[in-house]
Amino acid sequence: MPSEPQVEIFGSPQELFAAAAKKFCNAGSSAIQDHGRFTVALSGGSTPRGLHQELATHFSSQLQWDKVFFFWGDERHVPPDSSDSNYRMAKETLLSKLPIPPDNIFRVPAELPDARQAAAKYEQTIQKFFRLEPDSFPRFDFILLGMGPDGHTASLFPGTAALQEKDHLVVANWVEKLNAFRITFTYPVLNHAACVMFLVSGDEKAEMVRRALKDPAANLPCQKVRPVDGELLWYLDKGAALRL
Ligand code: 6PG
């Protein structure tokens, strides 16, 4: 039975990021104790920077980083050194600041000219890492997500084909309004996770957060993230929660 969203509201962005870092590390310690590793899918955009900074500073000694494995829930169709790259942002703000073995980092090969090929290769990487049987889905221990101003999450944008994908783990999704491909996890992967955390900050998101959490008829991409057997967390600061 999909879990109901667990909403946590914090007084400021700093308190939000500290609480998210604490939850990340608690989930990591439990996963490592339970099955020897912590598999994580990071999010893009700008909000995660605050969480990354907390993890890389106040929480840097709270996890056995050599047992943490990093993936991305989505990526722009750009090279890893592009200023638009989600991998580059995570590398600069988190991965380069902690003792994480390079072999524990699985970035999307988004430099490939063909976005579909990049998605297919990333899907194979995940299938190999999780030793998946055909037609099965990985269970990530922790998936971090943001929410865009249009209610998108990962690169699951309103009105795009990826919203309908039920079989693939990763797809190249054409986003007309960006005039670009994005590479993104699909809902089956997101909804197989043990824990999904939406991390949302700022009063500019308040109305969309209200619709996402209070208006089932809003039909927003982020509303379709409902882990079948896992935690669904919405971590908000006071600004983002203003309309709740
Ligand atoms: C991306 C993200 C995207 C992001 C939202 C929120 O690649 O941009 O995966 O889904 O999480 O757009 O972005 P902000 O945190 O910058 O508001």
Side-chain angles (χ1 to χ4, degrees), residues 74 150-163 173-175 177-178 182 221:
D74 73 319
D150 57 1
H152 81 261
T153 190
S155 285
L156 300 165
F157 285 80
T160 60
L163 299 178
N173 192 28
W174 177 253
V175 186
K177 70 176 178 181
L178 302 176
R182 291 281 191 92

Side-chain angles (χ1 to χ4, degrees), residues 3 44-45 51-52 60 72 99 116 122 130 149 151 154 173 177 193 200 202 225 230:
S3 40
L51 168 61
H52 294 176
S60 60
W72 277 261
R116 293 182 182 87
Y122 201 49
F130 282 94
N173 192 28
K177 70 176 178 181
V200 189
V225 178

Side-chain angles (χ1 to χ4, degrees), residues 3-222:
S3 40
E4 284 303 308
Q6 181 186 330
V7 180
E8 304 288 348
I9 300 169
F10 301 93
S12 69
Q14 215 43 52
E15 288 168 279
L16 168 69
F17 297 135
K22 185 177 178 188
K23 175 63 184 176
F24 181 96
C25 292
N26 288 347
S29 300
S30 300
I32 290 165
Q33 191 172 0
D34 178 66
H35 46 272
R37 69 185 189 186
F38 183 40
T39 55
V40 173
L42 296 175
S43 175
S46 57
T47 305
R49 289 173 177 271
L51 168 61
H52 294 176
Q53 185 171 13
E54 278 295 307
L55 290 171
T57 53
H58 303 123
F59 289 80
S60 60
S61 61
Q62 301 300 307
L63 262 187
Q64 294 171 271
W65 296 103
D66 63 326
K67 293 186 170 56
V68 184
F69 297 82
F70 290 92
F71 297 77
W72 277 261
D74 73 319
E75 184 56 279
R76 288 81 182 277
H77 188 208
V78 295
D81 59 355
S82 163
S83 58
D84 287 337
S85 166
N86 290 338
Y87 162 77
R88 175 175 162 180
M89 185 274 281
K91 183 178 175 191
E92 289 175 347
T93 58
L94 180 66
L95 306 178
S96 62
K97 298 180 182 304
L98 292 167
I100 299 163
D103 288 350
N104 288 29
I105 299 169
F106 298 86
R107 69 174 182 81
V108 180
E111 68 277 16
L112 292 174
D114 180 345
R116 293 182 182 87
Q117 188 188 8
K121 277 178 77 73
Y122 201 49
E123 183 172 73
Q124 287 159 11
T125 298
I126 293 170
Q127 287 168 332
K128 184 177 171 199
F129 178 87
F130 282 94
R131 297 196 177 98
L132 294 180
E133 295 298 321
D135 303 326
S136 64
F137 296 99
R139 184 170 171 77
F140 279 88
D141 294 311
F142 192 96
I143 297 183
L144 178 69
L145 293 174
M147 184 196 71
D150 57 1
H152 81 261
T153 190
S155 285
L156 300 165
F157 285 80
T160 60
L163 299 178
Q164 311 309 323
E165 181 59 46
K166 300 279 185 285
D167 303 315
H168 283 287
L169 311 184
V170 185
V171 293
N173 192 28
W174 177 253
V175 186
E176 190 59 36
K177 70 176 178 181
L178 302 176
N179 192 37
F181 273 107
R182 291 281 191 92
I183 293 108
T184 186
F185 278 8
T186 58
Y187 284 122
V189 173
L190 300 178
N191 289 333
H192 269 74
C195 180
V196 175
M197 176 188 281
F198 280 93
L199 189 66
V200 189
S201 172
D203 57 11
E204 71 281 4
K205 299 268 180 81
E207 175 53 19
M208 194 51 75
V209 165
R210 182 197 66 78
R211 293 181 63 198
L213 292 175
K214 299 290 186 190
D215 179 4
N219 195 27
L220 302 170
C222 60

